[in-house]
Amino acid sequence: MQEVIFTIYESLPYILGGCLVTLACVSVALLIGLTLGVPLAVGQVYGAAPLRFFISTYVWFFRGCPLLVQLYIFFYGIFWPLFELSALASSCIVLGLTSAAYQSQIFRGAIEAIPQGQLKAARALGLRDSNGIGFIVLPQAMRLAIPGWSNEFSILLKDSALIYLLGASDTMARIHQMATTTNMHFAFSLLAGVIYFVITLVGLKLLRGLEQKIHIPGYQKA
Amino acid sequence: MHNENQFQATDSPAELAPAEATAAKSLSEEAAASRRDPALAAVNISKSIGSRLILDNVSVSLARGELKVVIGPSGAGKSTFLQCINGLIPPDTGQVFLEGQSLNMRNKHELRLFRQQVGMIFQDFNLFDHLTALDNVAIALRKVRGMSRQDSEARAMSELERVGLANRARLYPAELSGGQTQRVAFARALAMDPKVLLLDEPTSALDPELVGEVLEVIRYLAKGGMTMLMATHQMDFARALAHEILFMEHGRVIESGSPAELLAAGSGTRTLDFCSRLDLEL
Amino acid sequence: MEIDFLLERILPALNRGVWVTIQLIIPSMLLGFAGGVVLGALRAFGPRWLRRIGDAYTTVIRGVPLIIQLFILYNALPKLGIYLDGFAAAVLGFIMCSAAYHSEYIRGALLSIRQGQLKAAQALGFDKTSMLVSIVIPQALRRALPGCGNEFIYLIKYSSLAYMTTCVDLTSEAMKLAAYTYRFTEIFLVCGVYYLILTSLAAWALNRLEKLAYIPGFGKAK
């Protein structure tokens, strides 16, 4: 028992370094997902038929196929042979593309929840549709989307535990490595559980704080 | 199989005009005395929630065919009182009698039998959201009375006809207006052939223009001699149809009497005071 | 991609795998849902201590990546003297995980049933059982259906993590063949198509079910 505790203690700096890799990957993926997800959502709600079809196909593919399979397809099929991208960079992009599909659905739901009258009022004031959407609908929709978005963070964090399969040196990779070299599988797998659990809780707490911060009094209280 | 006798009790005091209300009262007392047992009686009902006393020894007795109205400010305990009578809120002390038979609320089976005979209409309708109007009326006939699907639907249909909603039978609650929803709730309660109806502010969740159609149903039932205890804020209605008004405040019945006594101009009753303020607000 | 390689190597391997995947999914789906109903009901109406335990279980399961749960399960059970083969360990992990996610939807659905309707049923003389069967369950299932349906689709995708317990499912067959032939791209593309077919079929079936269960205006705030 003592030996196990000592080994874990010794390996902590190494594993926590992996946590930074995990967090960096999740942050980049969330950001990619956000920058692609919002236009995808707007396109799916307001776009022309061909655009809507393209977007639904994109969403269908990324939501219908396990992340593991996507990681392999994109890394071995595109990112590595064509651009020699590292495992970590490729993983960030694939996670980001997947997240964009999910986030677009969160934002679409939020946009559709905004009463039609808001955009009509903007048009009646003479705003162009792009401005009406950008300055009236989206700021409201983004607030509505935050709970779903927090959830997306926790899903991405958990999904990122798969990127070690491509050879990225994240939390899971380092846990796996320590478990195999020390042959303390059980202890290290428990440690992994604790680490991911703590990151999830802390992350959700921070996002809840954000939610409070941009809350508009009386909005969505009915 | 229709219990039409219920609506044709010609000797019912409900058919008398409001001007004769005092006479009606003595008549109903006579009727009660002659039949010995009131249709429904609740005696000394008390209820506390936490340290707050919600009901303090409240009693009521309803003769057959009588309509009594409970009024009072919100928070007076009207709704709690009605729900204590059929055990939806278990009273701390007190007794309930149906046709002279004492009810033991601890006995679940007995309580269920009692509830089958005492219908309830709620302020917020409480139709079952996942069932059509027809099924809302039919389901208790099937699940509680054990009727066949066919019989229960035939009976439900005739009840819906009675409240004028036969053409809405296949619609879901969300597709009905508030007034229609409450009328379906009446059909649902009436289908069980209740001996007494408890009405918990049946019109107060309705838009003003929809109140009339629901009051019309209650008026029709009163004319037919249905025994009813109703909490309401509809003073004109109470004045016209009630045999007795109970004025409740802070969990107690403060005043009771015929509308003519309590609402006579210059009578100086709390009831009159309350009603005049109510009129101002409305 | 050469047609021979597809027909002679990829398809036979993946067909073998998809069969295992289906065998993994179906018991996990059924028992996971049943577990979710029990857990959700306990979390909604159980005594306080049971609610606490149920909530804690759900928080932990939702906060830890499934792959780590399988990792722990696979490493921990032998320590307790329980020896499961890879298949059984994977199914157990999937059931434990889906039950937690389903319970969220079931709990929400149960709590969202308007109390007034239960009072109305009591006032009509319903007993507990027929109230549960005629009023509570039909409404709760309808409300939980979209969320639980999504969980089924997630389960299909996350069943790809069964490789962790050395259970040779669709993804593991693809990984094995890829490691042997180094033709990652083709193999995983085809593997992706298999998953897309499975998830699309499930989505189609759930859509049908939702249409069948549709009630005008049900579930919307009045």
Side-chain angles (χ1 to χ4, degrees), chain A residues 97-138:
Chain A
L97 292 176
T98 315
S99 185
Y102 281 98
Q103 290 192 39
S104 76
Q105 296 313 291
I106 297 172
F107 291 122
R108 187 181 69 146
I111 290 173
E112 284 171 349
I114 304 296
Q116 301 258 317
Q118 298 283 319
L119 188 58
K120 274 193 195 149
R123 282 178 184 150
L125 288 169
L127 265 77
R128 236 178 292 152
D129 270 9
S130 56
N131 284 336
I133 293 168
F135 295 110
I136 308 296
V137 176
L138 278 183

mmCIF file of all heavy atoms in Angstrom, chain A residues 97-138:
data_model
loop_
_atom_site.group_PDB
_atom_site.id
_atom_site.type_symbol
_atom_site.label_atom_id
_atom_site.label_comp_id
_atom_site.label_asym_id
_atom_site.label_seq_id
_atom_site.Cartn_x
_atom_site.Cartn_y
_atom_site.Cartn_z
ATOM 1 N N LEU A 97 -13.853 19.492 -34.765
ATOM 2 C CA LEU A 97 -14.848 19.277 -35.830
ATOM 3 C C LEU A 97 -16.079 18.557 -35.277
ATOM 4 O O LEU A 97 -17.214 18.901 -35.602
ATOM 5 C CB LEU A 97 -14.228 18.454 -36.967
ATOM 6 C CG LEU A 97 -13.121 19.144 -37.775
ATOM 7 C CD1 LEU A 97 -12.530 18.190 -38.814
ATOM 8 C CD2 LEU A 97 -13.651 20.401 -38.455
ATOM 9 N N THR A 98 -15.826 17.546 -34.429
ATOM 10 C CA THR A 98 -16.950 16.833 -33.816
ATOM 11 C C THR A 98 -17.762 17.781 -32.952
ATOM 12 O O THR A 98 -18.996 17.820 -33.012
ATOM 13 C CB THR A 98 -16.437 15.715 -32.886
ATOM 14 O OG1 THR A 98 -15.414 15.024 -33.564
ATOM 15 C CG2 THR A 98 -17.538 14.772 -32.496
ATOM 16 N N SER A 99 -17.036 18.536 -32.138
ATOM 17 C CA SER A 99 -17.717 19.439 -31.225
ATOM 18 C C SER A 99 -18.532 20.470 -31.999
ATOM 19 O O SER A 99 -19.611 20.863 -31.560
ATOM 20 C CB SER A 99 -16.696 20.127 -30.326
ATOM 21 O OG SER A 99 -17.357 20.905 -29.380
ATOM 22 N N ALA A 100 -17.999 20.899 -33.165
ATOM 23 C CA ALA A 100 -18.741 21.868 -33.979
ATOM 24 C C ALA A 100 -20.105 21.299 -34.343
ATOM 25 O O ALA A 100 -21.117 22.007 -34.308
ATOM 26 C CB ALA A 100 -17.953 22.213 -35.232
ATOM 27 N N ALA A 101 -20.139 20.009 -34.684
ATOM 28 C CA ALA A 101 -21.421 19.388 -35.036
ATOM 29 C C ALA A 101 -22.382 19.443 -33.852
ATOM 30 O O ALA A 101 -23.539 19.826 -33.995
ATOM 31 C CB ALA A 101 -21.196 17.937 -35.466
ATOM 32 N N TYR A 102 -21.873 19.076 -32.667
ATOM 33 C CA TYR A 102 -22.744 19.096 -31.485
ATOM 34 C C TYR A 102 -23.125 20.514 -31.097
ATOM 35 O O TYR A 102 -24.273 20.811 -30.784
ATOM 36 C CB TYR A 102 -22.062 18.391 -30.307
ATOM 37 C CG TYR A 102 -22.153 16.892 -30.413
ATOM 38 C CD1 TYR A 102 -21.108 16.138 -30.911
ATOM 39 C CD2 TYR A 102 -23.322 16.237 -30.038
ATOM 40 C CE1 TYR A 102 -21.207 14.765 -31.027
ATOM 41 C CE2 TYR A 102 -23.435 14.865 -30.145
ATOM 42 C CZ TYR A 102 -22.371 14.132 -30.644
ATOM 43 O OH TYR A 102 -22.481 12.780 -30.760
ATOM 44 N N GLN A 103 -22.122 21.404 -31.104
ATOM 45 C CA GLN A 103 -22.414 22.788 -30.706
ATOM 46 C C GLN A 103 -23.419 23.431 -31.658
ATOM 47 O O GLN A 103 -24.265 24.211 -31.244
ATOM 48 C CB GLN A 103 -21.130 23.607 -30.646
ATOM 49 C CG GLN A 103 -20.239 23.207 -29.485
ATOM 50 C CD GLN A 103 -19.105 24.193 -29.250
ATOM 51 O OE1 GLN A 103 -19.272 25.393 -29.367
ATOM 52 N NE2 GLN A 103 -17.935 23.666 -28.929
ATOM 53 N N SER A 104 -23.319 23.102 -32.952
ATOM 54 C CA SER A 104 -24.263 23.710 -33.897
ATOM 55 C C SER A 104 -25.689 23.336 -33.518
ATOM 56 O O SER A 104 -26.601 24.147 -33.654
ATOM 57 C CB SER A 104 -23.952 23.264 -35.326
ATOM 58 O OG SER A 104 -24.402 21.940 -35.532
ATOM 59 N N GLN A 105 -25.875 22.120 -32.997
ATOM 60 C CA GLN A 105 -27.221 21.718 -32.611
ATOM 61 C C GLN A 105 -27.679 22.451 -31.352
ATOM 62 O O GLN A 105 -28.846 22.797 -31.207
ATOM 63 C CB GLN A 105 -27.284 20.203 -32.402
ATOM 64 C CG GLN A 105 -27.026 19.432 -33.669
ATOM 65 C CD GLN A 105 -27.815 19.972 -34.852
ATOM 66 O OE1 GLN A 105 -29.031 19.859 -34.898
ATOM 67 N NE2 GLN A 105 -27.137 20.604 -35.808
ATOM 68 N N ILE A 106 -26.736 22.693 -30.440
ATOM 69 C CA ILE A 106 -27.076 23.469 -29.239
ATOM 70 C C ILE A 106 -27.509 24.873 -29.654
ATOM 71 O O ILE A 106 -28.543 25.386 -29.225
ATOM 72 C CB ILE A 106 -25.860 23.557 -28.294
ATOM 73 C CG1 ILE A 106 -25.459 22.166 -27.805
ATOM 74 C CG2 ILE A 106 -26.164 24.476 -27.116
ATOM 75 C CD1 ILE A 106 -24.156 22.151 -27.026
ATOM 76 N N PHE A 107 -26.696 25.502 -30.524
ATOM 77 C CA PHE A 107 -27.002 26.879 -30.926
ATOM 78 C C PHE A 107 -28.264 26.935 -31.778
ATOM 79 O O PHE A 107 -29.030 27.888 -31.693
ATOM 80 C CB PHE A 107 -25.821 27.497 -31.670
ATOM 81 C CG PHE A 107 -24.637 27.747 -30.779
ATOM 82 C CD1 PHE A 107 -23.401 27.178 -31.049
ATOM 83 C CD2 PHE A 107 -24.775 28.521 -29.638
ATOM 84 C CE1 PHE A 107 -22.325 27.384 -30.213
ATOM 85 C CE2 PHE A 107 -23.705 28.735 -28.790
ATOM 86 C CZ PHE A 107 -22.466 28.169 -29.078
ATOM 87 N N ARG A 108 -28.464 25.921 -32.605
ATOM 88 C CA ARG A 108 -29.669 25.923 -33.422
ATOM 89 C C ARG A 108 -30.905 25.912 -32.522
ATOM 90 O O ARG A 108 -31.838 26.699 -32.711
ATOM 91 C CB ARG A 108 -29.703 24.704 -34.335
ATOM 92 C CG ARG A 108 -30.846 24.772 -35.313
ATOM 93 C CD ARG A 108 -30.875 23.563 -36.182
ATOM 94 N NE ARG A 108 -31.253 22.393 -35.402
ATOM 95 C CZ ARG A 108 -31.975 21.391 -35.877
ATOM 96 N NH1 ARG A 108 -32.362 21.410 -37.138
ATOM 97 N NH2 ARG A 108 -32.278 20.362 -35.127
ATOM 98 N N GLY A 109 -30.874 25.026 -31.518
ATOM 99 C CA GLY A 109 -31.995 24.967 -30.580
ATOM 100 C C GLY A 109 -32.229 26.321 -29.923
ATOM 101 O O GLY A 109 -33.360 26.783 -29.790
ATOM 102 N N ALA A 110 -31.112 26.968 -29.552
ATOM 103 C CA ALA A 110 -31.228 28.259 -28.867
ATOM 104 C C ALA A 110 -31.795 29.320 -29.809
ATOM 105 O O ALA A 110 -32.659 30.101 -29.427
ATOM 106 C CB ALA A 110 -29.862 28.687 -28.341
ATOM 107 N N ILE A 111 -31.308 29.333 -31.057
ATOM 108 C CA ILE A 111 -31.802 30.330 -32.019
ATOM 109 C C ILE A 111 -33.292 30.126 -32.248
ATOM 110 O O ILE A 111 -34.075 31.077 -32.272
ATOM 111 C CB ILE A 111 -31.042 30.216 -33.358
ATOM 112 C CG1 ILE A 111 -29.598 30.685 -33.184
ATOM 113 C CG2 ILE A 111 -31.733 31.058 -34.436
ATOM 114 C CD1 ILE A 111 -28.725 30.460 -34.403
ATOM 115 N N GLU A 112 -33.684 28.856 -32.377
ATOM 116 C CA GLU A 112 -35.105 28.596 -32.648
ATOM 117 C C GLU A 112 -35.979 28.932 -31.441
ATOM 118 O O GLU A 112 -37.189 29.118 -31.587
ATOM 119 C CB GLU A 112 -35.292 27.133 -33.071
ATOM 120 C CG GLU A 112 -34.839 26.930 -34.502
ATOM 121 C CD GLU A 112 -34.795 25.475 -34.922
ATOM 122 O OE1 GLU A 112 -34.924 24.597 -34.051
ATOM 123 O OE2 GLU A 112 -34.609 25.226 -36.131
ATOM 124 N N ALA A 113 -35.353 29.000 -30.256
ATOM 125 C CA ALA A 113 -36.139 29.321 -29.064
ATOM 126 C C ALA A 113 -36.379 30.824 -28.924
ATOM 127 O O ALA A 113 -37.189 31.249 -28.112
ATOM 128 C CB ALA A 113 -35.439 28.785 -27.818
ATOM 129 N N ILE A 114 -35.635 31.629 -29.685
ATOM 130 C CA ILE A 114 -35.835 33.084 -29.607
ATOM 131 C C ILE A 114 -37.107 33.421 -30.383
ATOM 132 O O ILE A 114 -37.255 33.003 -31.531
ATOM 133 C CB ILE A 114 -34.634 33.836 -30.235
ATOM 134 C CG1 ILE A 114 -33.332 33.412 -29.572
ATOM 135 C CG2 ILE A 114 -34.842 35.343 -30.134
ATOM 136 C CD1 ILE A 114 -33.215 33.761 -28.130
ATOM 137 N N PRO A 115 -38.024 34.179 -29.780
ATOM 138 C CA PRO A 115 -39.275 34.481 -30.483
ATOM 139 C C PRO A 115 -39.024 35.166 -31.830
ATOM 140 O O PRO A 115 -38.145 36.015 -31.945
ATOM 141 C CB PRO A 115 -39.983 35.446 -29.522
ATOM 142 C CG PRO A 115 -39.359 35.226 -28.202
ATOM 143 C CD PRO A 115 -37.967 34.754 -28.444
ATOM 144 N N GLN A 116 -39.827 34.763 -32.817
ATOM 145 C CA GLN A 116 -39.701 35.326 -34.170
ATOM 146 C C GLN A 116 -39.793 36.847 -34.170
ATOM 147 O O GLN A 116 -39.194 37.523 -34.980
ATOM 148 C CB GLN A 116 -40.843 34.782 -35.036
ATOM 149 C CG GLN A 116 -40.871 33.292 -35.160
ATOM 150 C CD GLN A 116 -40.309 32.818 -36.470
ATOM 151 O OE1 GLN A 116 -40.599 33.397 -37.495
ATOM 152 N NE2 GLN A 116 -39.473 31.805 -36.409
ATOM 153 N N GLY A 117 -40.582 37.360 -33.244
ATOM 154 C CA GLY A 117 -40.824 38.797 -33.173
ATOM 155 C C GLY A 117 -39.546 39.612 -33.041
ATOM 156 O O GLY A 117 -39.485 40.757 -33.487
ATOM 157 N N GLN A 118 -38.509 39.015 -32.440
ATOM 158 C CA GLN A 118 -37.259 39.755 -32.253
ATOM 159 C C GLN A 118 -36.644 40.143 -33.592
ATOM 160 O O GLN A 118 -36.233 41.284 -33.799
ATOM 161 C CB GLN A 118 -36.275 38.887 -31.461
ATOM 162 C CG GLN A 118 -36.752 38.529 -30.075
ATOM 163 C CD GLN A 118 -36.605 39.681 -29.108
ATOM 164 O OE1 GLN A 118 -35.610 40.391 -29.121
ATOM 165 N NE2 GLN A 118 -37.615 39.883 -28.291
ATOM 166 N N LEU A 119 -36.571 39.170 -34.510
ATOM 167 C CA LEU A 119 -35.986 39.465 -35.814
ATOM 168 C C LEU A 119 -36.913 40.382 -36.606
ATOM 169 O O LEU A 119 -36.463 41.291 -37.310
ATOM 170 C CB LEU A 119 -35.722 38.158 -36.575
ATOM 171 C CG LEU A 119 -34.934 38.302 -37.876
ATOM 172 C CD1 LEU A 119 -33.576 38.949 -37.625
ATOM 173 C CD2 LEU A 119 -34.732 36.945 -38.543
ATOM 174 N N LYS A 120 -38.217 40.170 -36.448
ATOM 175 C CA LYS A 120 -39.174 41.042 -37.140
ATOM 176 C C LYS A 120 -39.003 42.482 -36.689
ATOM 177 O O LYS A 120 -38.998 43.414 -37.501
ATOM 178 C CB LYS A 120 -40.608 40.580 -36.830
ATOM 179 C CG LYS A 120 -41.090 39.494 -37.758
ATOM 180 C CD LYS A 120 -42.591 39.310 -37.619
ATOM 181 C CE LYS A 120 -43.005 37.994 -38.271
ATOM 182 N NZ LYS A 120 -44.157 37.405 -37.625
ATOM 183 N N ALA A 121 -38.856 42.663 -35.360
ATOM 184 C CA ALA A 121 -38.690 44.017 -34.829
ATOM 185 C C ALA A 121 -37.428 44.648 -35.394
ATOM 186 O O ALA A 121 -37.408 45.835 -35.731
ATOM 187 C CB ALA A 121 -38.638 43.973 -33.309
ATOM 188 N N ALA A 122 -36.356 43.837 -35.518
ATOM 189 C CA ALA A 122 -35.109 44.361 -36.070
ATOM 190 C C ALA A 122 -35.310 44.786 -37.521
ATOM 191 O O ALA A 122 -34.850 45.853 -37.952
ATOM 192 C CB ALA A 122 -34.013 43.302 -35.970
ATOM 193 N N ARG A 123 -36.027 43.950 -38.290
ATOM 194 C CA ARG A 123 -36.291 44.296 -39.684
ATOM 195 C C ARG A 123 -37.122 45.567 -39.760
ATOM 196 O O ARG A 123 -36.889 46.432 -40.599
ATOM 197 C CB ARG A 123 -37.044 43.167 -40.370
ATOM 198 C CG ARG A 123 -36.145 42.011 -40.749
ATOM 199 C CD ARG A 123 -36.958 40.893 -41.395
ATOM 200 N NE ARG A 123 -36.115 39.746 -41.670
ATOM 201 C CZ ARG A 123 -36.545 38.495 -41.683
ATOM 202 N NH1 ARG A 123 -37.811 38.230 -41.439
ATOM 203 N NH2 ARG A 123 -35.710 37.510 -41.938
ATOM 204 N N ALA A 124 -38.111 45.680 -38.863
ATOM 205 C CA ALA A 124 -38.993 46.842 -38.876
ATOM 206 C C ALA A 124 -38.216 48.120 -38.607
ATOM 207 O O ALA A 124 -38.598 49.205 -39.043
ATOM 208 C CB ALA A 124 -40.098 46.675 -37.833
ATOM 209 N N LEU A 125 -37.089 47.983 -37.884
ATOM 210 C CA LEU A 125 -36.263 49.160 -37.616
ATOM 211 C C LEU A 125 -35.330 49.450 -38.778
ATOM 212 O O LEU A 125 -34.564 50.405 -38.746
ATOM 213 C CB LEU A 125 -35.436 48.937 -36.349
ATOM 214 C CG LEU A 125 -36.211 48.955 -35.033
ATOM 215 C CD1 LEU A 125 -35.342 48.466 -33.897
ATOM 216 C CD2 LEU A 125 -36.705 50.371 -34.756
ATOM 217 N N GLY A 126 -35.357 48.594 -39.791
ATOM 218 C CA GLY A 126 -34.524 48.813 -40.955
ATOM 219 C C GLY A 126 -33.172 48.126 -40.887
ATOM 220 O O GLY A 126 -32.290 48.395 -41.698
ATOM 221 N N LEU A 127 -32.963 47.232 -39.913
ATOM 222 C CA LEU A 127 -31.688 46.511 -39.854
ATOM 223 C C LEU A 127 -31.630 45.478 -40.972
ATOM 224 O O LEU A 127 -32.639 44.871 -41.328
ATOM 225 C CB LEU A 127 -31.550 45.793 -38.509
ATOM 226 C CG LEU A 127 -30.786 46.544 -37.425
ATOM 227 C CD1 LEU A 127 -31.671 47.623 -36.844
ATOM 228 C CD2 LEU A 127 -30.350 45.592 -36.321
ATOM 229 N N ARG A 128 -30.422 45.287 -41.481
ATOM 230 C CA ARG A 128 -30.231 44.196 -42.423
ATOM 231 C C ARG A 128 -30.331 42.875 -41.654
ATOM 232 O O ARG A 128 -30.016 42.837 -40.457
ATOM 233 C CB ARG A 128 -28.846 44.303 -43.056
ATOM 234 C CG ARG A 128 -28.901 44.346 -44.566
ATOM 235 C CD ARG A 128 -27.513 44.510 -45.144
ATOM 236 N NE ARG A 128 -26.959 45.817 -44.829
ATOM 237 C CZ ARG A 128 -25.646 46.064 -44.714
ATOM 238 N NH1 ARG A 128 -24.780 45.091 -44.858
ATOM 239 N NH2 ARG A 128 -25.212 47.273 -44.458
ATOM 240 N N ASP A 129 -30.724 41.799 -42.344
ATOM 241 C CA ASP A 129 -30.879 40.519 -41.656
ATOM 242 C C ASP A 129 -29.593 40.088 -40.959
ATOM 243 O O ASP A 129 -29.619 39.579 -39.850
ATOM 244 C CB ASP A 129 -31.313 39.423 -42.643
ATOM 245 C CG ASP A 129 -32.830 39.353 -42.715
ATOM 246 O OD1 ASP A 129 -33.480 40.248 -42.139
ATOM 247 O OD2 ASP A 129 -33.358 38.429 -43.346
ATOM 248 N N SER A 130 -28.445 40.331 -41.636
ATOM 249 C CA SER A 130 -27.186 39.908 -41.028
ATOM 250 C C SER A 130 -26.987 40.625 -39.692
ATOM 251 O O SER A 130 -26.516 40.029 -38.727
ATOM 252 C CB SER A 130 -26.024 40.185 -41.978
ATOM 253 O OG SER A 130 -26.011 41.551 -42.324
ATOM 254 N N ASN A 131 -27.378 41.902 -39.643
ATOM 255 C CA ASN A 131 -27.240 42.635 -38.387
ATOM 256 C C ASN A 131 -28.274 42.188 -37.364
ATOM 257 O O ASN A 131 -27.976 42.095 -36.175
ATOM 258 C CB ASN A 131 -27.387 44.141 -38.624
ATOM 259 C CG ASN A 131 -26.134 44.710 -39.259
ATOM 260 O OD1 ASN A 131 -25.058 44.138 -39.108
ATOM 261 N ND2 ASN A 131 -26.285 45.803 -39.989
ATOM 262 N N GLY A 132 -29.475 41.946 -37.850
ATOM 263 C CA GLY A 132 -30.531 41.497 -36.949
ATOM 264 C C GLY A 132 -30.140 40.187 -36.284
ATOM 265 O O GLY A 132 -30.314 40.003 -35.081
ATOM 266 N N ILE A 133 -29.577 39.279 -37.092
ATOM 267 C CA ILE A 133 -29.153 37.991 -36.541
ATOM 268 C C ILE A 133 -27.960 38.183 -35.615
ATOM 269 O O ILE A 133 -27.922 37.679 -34.504
ATOM 270 C CB ILE A 133 -28.821 37.000 -37.685
ATOM 271 C CG1 ILE A 133 -30.095 36.656 -38.452
ATOM 272 C CG2 ILE A 133 -28.181 35.741 -37.133
ATOM 273 C CD1 ILE A 133 -29.846 35.929 -39.753
ATOM 274 N N GLY A 134 -26.992 38.969 -36.090
ATOM 275 C CA GLY A 134 -25.744 39.131 -35.346
ATOM 276 C C GLY A 134 -25.897 39.904 -34.049
ATOM 277 O O GLY A 134 -25.258 39.577 -33.051
ATOM 278 N N PHE A 135 -26.725 40.936 -34.056
ATOM 279 C CA PHE A 135 -26.783 41.803 -32.881
ATOM 280 C C PHE A 135 -28.016 41.603 -32.017
ATOM 281 O O PHE A 135 -28.055 42.050 -30.883
ATOM 282 C CB PHE A 135 -26.688 43.281 -33.303
ATOM 283 C CG PHE A 135 -25.363 43.620 -33.923
ATOM 284 C CD1 PHE A 135 -25.262 43.911 -35.272
ATOM 285 C CD2 PHE A 135 -24.211 43.604 -33.150
ATOM 286 C CE1 PHE A 135 -24.025 44.194 -35.844
ATOM 287 C CE2 PHE A 135 -22.980 43.887 -33.712
ATOM 288 C CZ PHE A 135 -22.884 44.179 -35.062
ATOM 289 N N ILE A 136 -29.044 40.978 -32.570
ATOM 290 C CA ILE A 136 -30.271 40.805 -31.782
ATOM 291 C C ILE A 136 -30.478 39.342 -31.411
ATOM 292 O O ILE A 136 -30.589 38.989 -30.238
ATOM 293 C CB ILE A 136 -31.520 41.318 -32.557
ATOM 294 C CG1 ILE A 136 -31.295 42.742 -33.055
ATOM 295 C CG2 ILE A 136 -32.761 41.205 -31.690
ATOM 296 C CD1 ILE A 136 -31.120 43.770 -31.967
ATOM 297 N N VAL A 137 -30.491 38.475 -32.414
ATOM 298 C CA VAL A 137 -30.832 37.073 -32.141
ATOM 299 C C VAL A 137 -29.691 36.342 -31.426
ATOM 300 O O VAL A 137 -29.885 35.739 -30.375
ATOM 301 C CB VAL A 137 -31.209 36.337 -33.449
ATOM 302 C CG1 VAL A 137 -31.469 34.869 -33.170
ATOM 303 C CG2 VAL A 137 -32.426 36.977 -34.081
ATOM 304 N N LEU A 138 -28.475 36.437 -32.008
ATOM 305 C CA LEU A 138 -27.371 35.647 -31.452
ATOM 306 C C LEU A 138 -27.018 35.999 -30.003
ATOM 307 O O LEU A 138 -26.809 35.096 -29.196
ATOM 308 C CB LEU A 138 -26.131 35.744 -32.345
ATOM 309 C CG LEU A 138 -26.132 34.797 -33.550
ATOM 310 C CD1 LEU A 138 -24.837 34.918 -34.334
ATOM 311 C CD2 LEU A 138 -26.327 33.351 -33.111
#
